[in-house]
Amino acid sequence: QVQLVESGGGLVQPGGSLRLSCAASGSIFSTYVMGWYRQAPGKQRELVAKISSGGARTTYADSVKGRFTISRDNAKNTVYLQMNNLKPADTAVYYCNAGTSVPMYWGQGTQVTVSS
């Protein structure tokens, strides 16, 4: 019922910025909690940030707090992840997720590489 497509990844230098977007299909986007996860090679997928259905409440991993900002535009069925002051440790495939109490739907992911 729900399809998610990420975009905006790429190669950046340490200290640079990227803005990821996740476009969702369907007409019930506004009912879902949205999240961004990431997975580096050889590591488990981890939560980066999530945002409530109305956008009023957000949660961040300690490793990205103060650097990343999650937001959503329900009129456009889109969730964003603004990433500032990127570090090599941020290198991973970033996945968009939609769900209620647990993740239910996943995008295909977009690669973010932070390197000099």
Side-chain angles (χ1 to χ4, degrees):
Q1 288 185 319
V2 176
Q3 293 185 343
L4 306 172
V5 181
E6 302 96 336
S7 62
L11 174 64
V12 298
Q13 295 183 345
S17 298
L18 283 174
R19 188 193 191 198
L20 305 184
S21 298
C22 173
S25 66
S27 61
I28 57 173
F29 175 80
S30 63
T31 68
Y32 288 103
V33 173
M34 302 296 298
W36 287 96
Y37 287 69
R38 67 187 182 187
Q39 187 168 24
K43 297 184 178 180
Q44 295 193 55
R45 189 172 299 186
E46 64 176 347
L47 174 68
V48 176
K50 63 180 180 179
I51 186 167
S52 62
S53 60
R57 298 181 298 279
T58 58
T59 301
Y60 298 92
D62 288 341
S63 60
V64 307
K65 194 172 300 181
R67 299 188 297 120
F68 291 10
T69 302
I70 188 171
S71 62
R72 66 193 296 163
D73 187 339
N74 288 346
K76 297 181 178 179
N77 285 0
T78 303
V79 63
Y80 306 94
L81 184 68
Q82 178 67 47
M83 304 185 294
N84 298 327
N85 191 23
L86 283 161
K87 304 175 180 180
D90 297 319
T91 296
V93 177
Y94 283 71
Y95 297 90
C96 180
N97 142 258
T100 53
S101 60
V102 297
M104 297 173 61
Y105 307 99
W106 296 90
Q108 294 299 308
T110 184
Q111 176 71 48
V112 172
T113 302
V114 185
S115 177
S116 299

